Amino acid sequence: LQNKEYVCRGHDYERLEAFQQRMLSEFPQAIAMQHPNHPDDSILQCDAQYLQIYAVTPIPDNIDVLQMDRVPDRIKSFYRVNNIRKFRYDRPFHKGPKDKENEFKSLWIERTTLTLTHSLPGISRWFEVERRELVEVSPLENAIQVVENKNQELRTLISQYQHKQMHGNINLLSMCLNGVIDAAVNGGIARYQEAFFDKDYITKHPADAEKITQLKELMQEQVHVLGVGLAVHEKFVHPEMRPLHKKLIDQFQMMRSSLYH
């Protein structure tokens, strides 16, 4: 096992901390490393045992299935975490001096993609990493991915309520809507506007024009998706939760007007 990497599928509903404890009990002499950075030679060549454990995100192969509207969410959720051979993890870092007024301007992502020898889950719950690739994601590309992922999460959740797959309890939708709208009013996508729609940024980065347009379109799409989500929320919201619903509507109007401005 020395100096090898594996992706392991934990038990159902197992927390990362519990998985770490399980691994450390199997290797009682091991020292747990507290960061996901690639170990240096002093670690790789020493006599001591080290264990480095961190969470990775699956990268599904069946993208076509996930993008089809007529495919039920249960089938999509299966393909998101099964028959997976590629996984990734992201490490945020600031390139150059950190922008004190708006950290999104200098926030880069170091993205590591791990390719396994076989797809998970298979005959085993863990397989060795065959290849690792490292790329740097620019602050603008990161913003695009964050907004895109949030839009997808919202659309999936709204669809589940519309098709009666989620019964009775509206809390999950309330939390998701509140998280996006509240962040948008108190920072969030407003920070992206300041960072990337600024005249100085556009002048200094002419090659980013297409990506800036893409980010604008995703933000407008988010406003549309939130509008649909609030309409669904109004339909199912419990009378006791009306004050929260009203707050969401008021904040949404503020967010929409600032975006259009």
Side-chain angles (χ1 to χ4, degrees):
L1 299 177
Q2 186 177 359
N3 294 346
K4 289 190 176 180
E5 278 186 296
Y6 298 87
V7 173
C8 182
R9 186 181 177 109
H11 296 322
D12 293 348
Y13 302 108
E14 185 174 34
R15 294 176 64 83
L16 185 64
E17 295 83 359
F19 177 80
Q20 284 174 322
Q21 285 306 315
R22 188 153 63 85
M23 289 296 110
L24 287 166
S25 65
E26 279 193 41
F27 299 94
Q29 306 301 315
I31 301 159
M33 292 171 70
Q34 301 300 323
H35 60 78
N37 304 345
H38 199 53
D40 57 25
D41 286 345
S42 65
I43 299 271
L44 294 173
Q45 292 169 13
C46 75
D47 290 334
Q49 256 187 17
Y50 285 91
L51 260 181
Q52 186 182 43
I53 298 170
Y54 49 85
V56 291
T57 305
I59 305 173
D61 275 341
N62 295 288
I63 296 295
D64 295 347
V65 174
L66 300 179
Q67 290 173 344
M68 287 178 191
D69 289 337
R70 66 179 187 276
V71 176
D73 284 319
R74 285 178 188 176
I75 293 175
K76 286 182 181 179
S77 64
F78 173 85
Y79 280 107
R80 282 191 193 104
V81 292
N82 287 284
N83 304 331
I84 308 285
R85 200 164 161 215
K86 285 188 175 182
F87 296 82
R88 74 158 201 245
Y89 71 90
D90 292 346
R91 186 181 72 84
F93 71 100
H94 287 276
K95 193 179 269 195
K98 183 176 175 180
D99 193 302
K100 288 178 183 171
E101 289 182 14
N102 188 339
E103 64 175 34
F104 289 124
K105 284 184 183 178
S106 57
L107 185 65
W108 285 68
I109 299 291
E110 183 188 85
R111 174 161 296 158
T112 303
T113 304
L114 306 170
T115 305
L116 306 190
T117 52
H118 299 85
S119 299
L120 271 175
I123 198 165
S124 168
R125 292 182 78 93
W126 55 309
F127 286 118
E128 191 178 346
V129 173
E130 185 177 60
R131 189 170 71 251
R132 64 166 25 234
E133 296 164 83
L134 196 143
V135 294
E136 288 183 352
V137 180
S138 74
L140 177 57
E141 289 169 327
N142 183 37
I144 287 169
Q145 288 170 10
V146 168
V147 178
E148 198 167 21
N149 290 343
K150 187 51 73 175
N151 289 357
Q152 183 57 50
E153 184 188 336
L154 278 164
R155 274 200 300 269
T156 302
L157 197 55
I158 291 162
S159 166
Q160 287 172 344
Y161 281 100
Q162 283 175 324
H163 296 102
K164 306 283 191 297
Q165 289 168 350
M166 307 280 274
H167 296 290
N169 196 336
I170 197 81
N171 288 357
L172 208 55
L173 184 60
S174 303
M175 280 162 56
C176 197
L177 290 170
N178 188 47
V180 179
I181 294 170
D182 199 49
V185 173
N186 299 310
I189 60 174
R191 288 294 203 189
Y192 292 151
Q193 282 176 271
E194 288 168 24
F196 309 118
F197 301 167
D198 180 62
K199 280 181 184 171
D200 280 355
Y201 184 89
I202 292 167
T203 310
K204 286 177 187 169
H205 303 84
D208 283 351
E210 204 174 301
K211 287 174 184 166
I212 290 168
T213 304
Q214 189 184 351
L215 181 58
K216 283 181 182 176
E217 286 169 358
L218 283 166
M219 285 178 171
Q220 286 164 353
E221 184 191 327
Q222 189 167 92
V223 169
H224 171 71
V225 174
L226 286 168
V228 175
L230 285 166
V232 171
H233 193 260
E234 180 149 10
K235 205 166 156 185
F236 295 108
V237 73
H238 197 270
E240 289 174 9
M241 300 283 278
R242 282 278 158 196
L244 170 66
H245 183 75
K246 186 180 183 311
K247 185 196 112 177
L248 288 173
I249 295 285
D250 293 344
Q251 284 188 320
F252 176 64
Q253 304 294 0
M254 283 166 59
M255 171 193 173
R256 192 166 59 174
S257 61
S258 78
L259 260 180
Y260 286 145
H261 172 72

